[in-house]
Amino acid sequence: MTDLAARLAFSPAGFVNEFYPSFWWIPAGVLTAALAIKLPSIIRLWGDPMLRAVGGLLLLACAVFVFVAPSTIAWVNRITGIPNIAAPWVYSLLMAYCGSCLLLIIAWRNGLSDRSDATARAMRRVIVTYSGVIVSLWVLFALADGHVERLRDLDTYYATTPYLREMILLYLLAHTVATLITSWLIWNWVRTDGLDAWLRWGLKFLGVGYVVQVVFDAVKLTAVTARWTGADLDWLSTGVAPPVACLSAILIAVGFILPHAGQYLHDRWRVRLAHRELRPLYLLMRSVNGGGMPVVLRATPELRLIRRETFIRDVLLPLARHIDEERRGRSHRAALSLGLEPERAKAAAAALAIQDAVAVRHRAPADDGGPGHDTTDLLRDIGAVSRALRRPDVLLAVRARTRPAPAAGAAPEPGAAARTTPEDGRVA
């Protein structure tokens, strides 16, 4: 136990070797989680070929890590009765993943509408090349003599065996070429102007992930080449390559998820923020209407926002007949004189006008008010008006500058008692 603890503490390669049988399930789990996160969007937008391609790519990547686990390798060898047949199977999955990455990046970057000859030729070359590599892998395996089953170190154990040597070198070189080309395409794309922020960050994660894959290939090739020269660097293949592959899988999974998930979360946050910003004006309109909206269980954030906006506009439309446009104009000029920006000054004047209209409506509920006004701007800018209600100090300053000094014993102006609290804009 003491020797094991020392080995785990001072040798990273030893640590990986101790947990090698279960190590490969980490990236498989990460990629499965990424696929599960994207699956609802893929099902909902099944007609989008890009989403289907991303889902297929994540599925291929997950399959690679599932079948490279020693327990799965042993199971495949056992059910087929052919030692090491799991090797060309895993390498074939890896080549299919490489080709799919190139095809996806080409289509993603150029757009599905691009039917140019250059794009079509590039896609055909990818398909023909990696299909040929997969066929070659199986031919080389069939010609080789690899009867000793190797669950962990097949790459280095058979590095000098005829035909298996060529098979191993072929898959490593093909993977390296695909990784370098994909990385080059991604980093060129990152430097393109006008990209969405979430897409740019997703591409950066993908770019780093593929650079890490280049490190994986370099480590594997170094270990195999060392065998050719009589040296023993097998620990690079079994102790260093697995964590590098795991890190690459995590970065690539994040890169594929981030553009869609990030935009989804950003849009959801904006909806919730817009719903919250409307609370002061909603509470003010509820005081006019005498009640709020009925609660709808399991309503989506988008539906709650639409219902709140509809409620505010439905109450505000008849209330607009009580708005004093002359007073609103004076409030606007007063807000500008206080140094407010034009949009904020307009919103503050509208908020004060609505407060005054509410006060008038409370005093004379049966009064229909004056002639109708053009409420287009008012109904459109409810978000800005609601934000203005969150600043009672500003509204008080504008009202003080707008209202003339009252004569002794004079009745208070309409809306003088209507005040908003800093928290939610409730009428005091």
Side-chain angles (χ1 to χ4, degrees):
M1 181 64 69
T2 303
D3 292 341
L4 174 61
R7 192 162 61 250
L8 293 179
F10 298 105
S11 173
F15 176 85
V16 174
N17 284 328
E18 288 294 333
F19 295 97
Y20 192 95
S22 58
F23 192 88
W24 297 101
W25 296 104
I26 298 174
V30 172
L31 290 164
T32 301
L35 181 60
I37 291 172
K38 291 196 68 65
L39 193 59
S41 298
I42 295 171
I43 294 174
R44 187 174 64 254
L45 302 173
W46 184 253
D48 187 343
M50 294 303 296
L51 276 177
R52 294 202 307 270
V54 170
L57 190 67
L58 289 173
L59 186 61
L60 271 175
C62 183
V64 169
F65 285 103
V66 168
F67 282 98
V68 82
S71 58
T72 312
I73 291 174
W75 175 76
V76 171
N77 293 338
R78 184 173 64 255
I79 63 171
T80 59
I82 303 174
N84 298 316
I85 196 173
W89 170 245
V90 171
Y91 298 159
S92 297
L93 288 175
L94 187 58
M95 293 303 99
Y97 167 78
C98 291
S100 299
C101 285
L102 287 171
L103 291 174
L104 179 62
I105 295 300
I106 292 171
W108 197 0
R109 180 177 181 179
N110 296 343
L112 293 174
S113 59
D114 185 4
R115 293 293 185 268
S116 65
D117 291 339
T119 299
R121 282 197 304 270
M123 289 188 166
R124 281 198 301 269
R125 287 172 182 169
V126 170
I127 293 172
V128 171
T129 299
Y130 281 88
S131 297
V133 170
I134 291 173
V135 172
S136 300
L137 290 173
W138 285 98
V139 171
L140 291 169
F141 178 78
L143 295 173
D145 180 15
H147 60 278
V148 178
E149 184 180 55
R150 308 302 298 183
L151 302 181
R152 300 188 185 186
D153 60 348
L154 184 140
D155 291 348
T156 50
Y157 185 86
Y158 286 110
T160 57
T161 302
Y163 298 113
L164 285 180
R165 171 185 58 213
E166 286 77 12
M167 181 188 75
I168 294 166
L169 183 61
L170 178 61
Y171 103 81
L172 285 175
L173 290 178
H175 185 261
T176 302
V177 170
T179 302
L180 287 172
I181 294 175
T182 304
S183 180
W184 175 72
L185 289 173
I186 289 173
W187 285 111
N188 277 348
W189 192 5
V190 169
R191 291 191 288 269
T192 304
D193 295 331
L195 291 181
D196 174 77
W198 290 108
L199 175 59
R200 189 181 298 277
W201 275 106
L203 289 172
K204 288 180 178 179
F205 273 97
L206 283 175
V208 174
Y210 282 106
V211 169
V212 175
Q213 279 198 3
V214 174
V215 176
F216 168 85
D217 292 323
V219 168
K220 281 282 190 178
L221 284 168
T222 301
V224 170
T225 305
R227 278 284 186 152
W228 297 346
T229 61
D232 184 357
L233 295 178
D234 291 8
W235 61 273
L236 288 174
S237 180
T238 58
V240 177
V244 172
C246 180
L247 177 60
S248 173
I250 293 172
L251 291 170
I252 290 174
V254 172
F256 278 119
I257 293 172
L258 198 58
H260 298 283
Q263 189 61 51
Y264 170 80
L265 294 175
H266 179 69
D267 292 342
R268 184 58 60 91
W269 169 252
R270 290 180 61 185
V271 168
R272 292 184 182 277
L273 183 62
H275 184 271
R276 179 177 177 274
E277 285 183 340
L278 288 176
R279 177 175 170 79
L281 186 56
Y282 166 71
L283 293 174
L284 188 58
M285 294 299 97
R286 194 171 67 175
S287 71
V288 175
N289 191 57
M293 299 175 298
V295 176
V296 177
L297 297 178
R298 302 180 66 178
T300 64
E302 291 82 2
L303 179 59
R304 288 199 294 269
L305 175 61
I306 292 172
R307 294 181 71 243
R308 176 164 286 188
E309 290 174 340
T310 302
F311 176 84
I312 290 173
R313 291 190 174 100
D314 287 346
V315 178
L316 193 56
L317 188 60
L319 184 67
R321 302 178 66 86
H322 297 279
I323 290 179
D324 186 335
E325 289 295 336
E326 182 181 353
R327 185 186 298 274
R328 181 180 176 184
R330 293 202 307 269
S331 298
H332 185 217
R333 291 189 293 273
L336 290 173
S337 68
L338 287 172
L340 295 183
E341 298 174 357
E343 290 300 322
R344 287 191 61 197
K346 180 181 177 182
L352 289 171
I354 292 173
Q355 285 183 339
D356 292 342
V358 170
V360 171
R361 177 70 178 270
H362 285 161
R363 287 202 310 271
D367 184 8
D368 288 336
H373 303 292
D374 184 4
T375 59
T376 303
D377 288 345
L378 192 63
L379 295 177
R380 185 181 62 239
D381 298 336
I382 57 175
V385 172
S386 189
R387 287 193 296 272
L389 289 172
R390 289 185 176 273
R391 295 299 304 273
D393 54 333
V394 174
L395 297 184
L396 286 173
V398 174
R399 189 182 292 278
R401 182 162 293 205
T402 304
R403 184 174 60 240
E413 289 189 354
R419 297 293 182 263
T420 55
T421 65
E423 293 78 15
D424 55 23
R426 279 192 288 266
V427 177

